[in-house]
Amino acid sequence: MSTMKLNLAILGNLVKVYGAPLYGATSVEDAGTIGASEYTVIDNNTLMVVADGNTMYFPIRRSVVDAGFEAERVFTIGIFEAERDASGERDGIAWSVTKGARKVFAY
């Protein structure tokens, strides 16, 4: 049970209130796993994988980043589906997502 009691009316002008998570809690399809010797963590939130001469980048799910993860973690690469339309701006770059759009994450 949460004991957090925040006055969002006051905080709403000072912080971004996001609401419900954008992507579903479980993947709609998994593409496989990656062991620690097969990836490099970049900026603590992205996996870089080099395979067969190709470089791929997979964002790590925010819930995994926030919880922290061990250096030897085996990540699953999964496809997640957006549960609602959303748009915004991050670091000066506009973005938008349509409900049902799919995105690949490491988790």
Side-chain angles (χ1 to χ4, degrees):
M1 177 198 283
S2 174
T3 59
M4 183 176 2
K5 295 180 182 178
L6 298 174
N7 186 330
L8 295 180
I10 293 171
L11 294 174
N13 295 326
L14 302 171
V15 299
K16 174 75 174 162
V17 179
Y18 291 96
L22 179 55
Y23 289 94
T26 57
S27 67
V28 294
E29 186 175 355
D30 287 335
T33 58
I34 299 175
S37 65
E38 302 169 301
Y39 64 77
T40 301
V41 177
I42 300 173
D43 297 330
N44 200 40
N45 63 8
T46 303
L47 297 185
M48 179 179 75
V49 178
V50 178
D52 300 325
N54 298 303
T55 303
M56 298 169 279
Y57 297 91
F58 301 106
I60 302 171
R61 290 228 33 177
R62 174 66 47 205
S63 59
V64 174
V65 172
D66 289 347
F69 53 89
E70 66 280 357
E72 299 297 313
R73 182 184 177 106
V74 173
F75 281 93
T76 299
I77 304 301
I79 300 168
F80 293 79
E81 195 167 281
E83 296 186 335
R84 58 185 169 86
D85 294 339
S87 61
E89 185 178 307
R90 182 178 179 140
D91 299 328
I93 300 171
W95 60 269
S96 65
V97 174
T98 304
K99 182 178 180 177
R102 292 181 170 196
K103 184 171 180 175
V104 177
F105 289 99
Y107 68 100

